[in-house]
Amino acid sequence: MSKLFSSVTLGEVTLANRVMISPMCQYSAIDGVAQAWHRVQYGRLAMGGAGLVMVEMTLVSPEGMGTAGDLGLWNDEQEAALAEVAATIRKLGAKPAIQLGHTGRKGATQRPWHGGMPLSAVDLEVRGEQPWPIVAPSAIPMSADRVTPRALSLEDIDRIRRDFVQAARRALRAGFDVIEIHAAHGYLLHQFVSPISNHRADEYGGDLARRIRLPVEITQEIKALMGRKNALFVRMSVTDGVAEGHGVPESVTFAQALKAAGADVIDCSSGGLIGTASNSRSARSRGFQVPLARAIREGADVSTVAVGLILDGPQAEAVLKDGSADLIAVGRSALDDPNWPLHARQTIDGPGFEHWPPQSGWWLERRAALLSSTQRGMSPLE
Ligand SMILES: Cc1cc2nc3c(=O)[nH]c(=O)nc-3n(C[C@H](O)[C@H](O)[C@H](O)COP(=O)(O)O)c2cc1C
């Protein structure tokens, strides 16, 4: 059997296989509450055969929202709706995971398909989306055409740490096996880590040890809350992709500190600090972030997730076999084909349908036999 479809245990969480559906914002929540869209979207991704289905970036406070359609996890209604999403994922065969975040200076923007720019009076008039004040480690906007955030006070930082821990408590109650802390893509925790966005002169700014302090403290507190029964992932941008930013050596140090604080897995992405997450200046080609996952795995002796243009089963299998990562995350390919894991399995473990849900697999097995007999020139009834 392939490595991709062998089970893996992280903390005490055992996944049936090593395919993770990467967190992908759906921008379809109302007041931060998951809707039918989320139950169906995450349910069909679970039916597609992934070992782990990770729910999109879910904000720990109203201030941390990116767009008006983001998921939130600061009240009981949001928790109850996410509990249904988690139960749906589990019933359909995968382990449920959720990513917790705060967008910092990237907050209060339009959905990508409305332009992705700061919310303005026009958005209020057209869609009833009122902008809200945004915050960051320092009062530095992401770019000249973005809103300048308010620099956080030490009291604010303390509150944000407690917001993360409280959201993690709710996520555990809602039934998620895995929590991922979002410290990548230019969102708040990444803004603390990068020297481009963090110009603070107190204990949360300055040298690397101070810049990584907030994500490390949050990791420690959430791990203490969850114990060994659940697994804790942290997603980081291993490189900012810009000359003045941080790179692999700093990220190895960061990963070592996260591991010591209790992180089980580092999910290795890149970019996003300047422009959008899909706008880092790193070259983008098949598996472009795999070397980053390998560098963190080797440098910090920690389990990693590789992500980014991993397009088919043989490519994913090769990434695992060469020791670059422990899990493979699949994003856009799963939007295109929610059955991506089932199809990938057929390309590396054989063409049968025995791993498919019988509701579809039983029929497809017979259709495949029919088609091959037709191709051999036999009548379908023979
Ligand atoms: C629609 C969409 C939404 C995304 N939302 C998130 C998110 O909520 N959190 C996150 O860490 N990454 C997010 N990403 C990035 C993906 O998780 C993934 O890292 C990226 O798409 C690269 O993987 P791929 O080439 O397999 O798509 C998003 C990507 C897409 C396409």
Side-chain angles (χ1 to χ4, degrees):
M1 202 197 7
S2 60
K3 186 139 196 217
L4 188 60
F5 289 96
S6 64
S7 69
V8 59
T9 300
L10 307 158
E12 286 176 15
V13 179
T14 298
L15 308 180
N17 61 60
R18 293 161 186 264
V19 182
M20 155 179 152
I21 300 299
S22 211
M24 284 181 286
C25 285
Q26 301 296 297
Y27 309 103
S28 302
I30 299 174
D31 296 329
V33 179
Q35 304 294 311
W37 177 271
H38 300 89
R39 292 190 294 279
V40 173
Q41 174 74 332
Y42 292 113
R44 71 177 182 160
L45 289 167
M47 283 166 64
L52 189 69
V53 172
M54 188 169 289
V55 170
E56 69 204 66
M57 174 167 66
T58 299
L59 288 318
V60 300
S61 63
E63 157 201 91
M65 294 280 275
T67 77
D70 291 356
L71 285 175
L73 190 44
W74 62 83
N75 67 37
D76 292 348
E77 189 186 1
Q78 293 162 344
E79 181 182 323
L82 281 168
E84 281 189 52
V85 173
T88 303
I89 293 170
R90 190 184 301 286
K91 275 185 202 148
L92 296 175
K95 291 276 163 80
I98 188 166
Q99 187 186 54
L100 299 179
H102 184 304
T103 62
R105 70 181 189 174
K106 281 180 113 168
T109 62
Q110 302 160 327
R111 290 170 175 82
W113 53 81
H114 294 147
M117 292 306 288
L119 289 170
S120 70
V122 177
D123 298 286
L124 180 58
E125 198 184 308
V126 176
R127 285 182 288 276
E129 294 175 2
Q130 168 102 46
W132 51 94
I134 57 172
V135 296
S138 304
I140 306 170
M142 192 168 61
S143 52
D145 54 358
R146 300 296 172 122
V147 176
T148 300
R150 176 177 67 79
L152 291 162
S153 67
L154 284 175
E155 292 72 42
D156 291 324
I157 292 175
D158 195 43
R159 174 179 48 77
I160 287 171
R161 189 179 43 240
R162 281 186 274 113
D163 287 342
F164 268 93
V165 175
Q166 180 58 16
R169 192 171 284 121
R170 286 185 181 278
L172 294 173
R173 246 179 0 220
F176 289 96
D177 288 308
V178 172
I179 291 177
E180 177 167 280
I181 299 167
H182 198 348
H185 300 169
Y187 295 115
L188 184 75
L189 298 180
H190 184 185
Q191 290 159 30
F192 271 91
V193 175
S194 177
I196 296 175
S197 43
N198 183 346
H199 293 189
R200 298 180 71 89
D202 59 12
E203 59 264 45
Y204 289 96
D207 64 15
L208 183 64
R210 287 168 183 234
R211 297 199 312 272
I212 64 175
R213 183 172 169 167
L214 181 59
V216 169
E217 285 177 348
I218 289 171
T219 299
Q220 206 160 23
E221 289 195 30
I222 294 182
K223 191 61 186 185
L225 190 74
M226 61 172 34
R228 295 292 302 160
K229 240 177 81 252
N230 304 84
L232 183 58
F233 291 23
V234 180
R235 180 168 260 201
M236 64 163 69
S237 283
V238 178
T239 167
D240 284 337
V242 286
E244 324 82 70
H246 73 254
V248 171
E250 292 83 4
S251 292
V252 167
T253 305
F254 184 25
Q256 286 165 337
L258 291 168
K259 185 186 173 193
D264 298 293
V265 176
I266 306 296
D267 183 357
C268 299
S269 191
S270 69
L273 195 75
I274 293 173
T276 65
S278 55
N279 199 18
S280 95
R281 291 178 209 161
S282 318
R284 296 195 164 231
S285 53
R286 261 179 99 108
F288 66 104
Q289 291 171 150
V290 171
L292 305 178
R294 187 187 188 100
I296 295 297
R297 193 169 190 259
E298 287 176 352
D301 188 24
V302 66
S303 298
T304 58
V305 179
V307 62
L309 292 180
I310 298 175
L311 299 179
D312 55 38
Q315 184 194 1
E317 180 70 1
V319 170
L320 295 175
K321 282 221 167 110
D322 82 1
S324 294
D326 301 84
L327 293 178
I328 300 296
V330 177
R332 290 160 294 181
S333 293
L335 296 182
D336 179 42
D337 172 15
N339 285 336
W340 188 94
L342 293 171
H343 286 133
R345 188 163 196 166
Q346 288 176 314
T347 63
I348 50 179
D349 284 341
F353 288 89
E354 65 272 23
H355 303 292
W356 286 56
Q359 293 93 331
S360 47
W362 194 86
W363 304 98
L364 294 174
E365 185 88 62
R366 275 147 191 82
R367 187 186 69 159
L370 175 80
L371 291 174
S372 84
S373 67
T374 313
Q375 266 165 11
R376 288 201 309 270
M378 293 157 69
S379 141
L381 298 176
E382 281 177 88

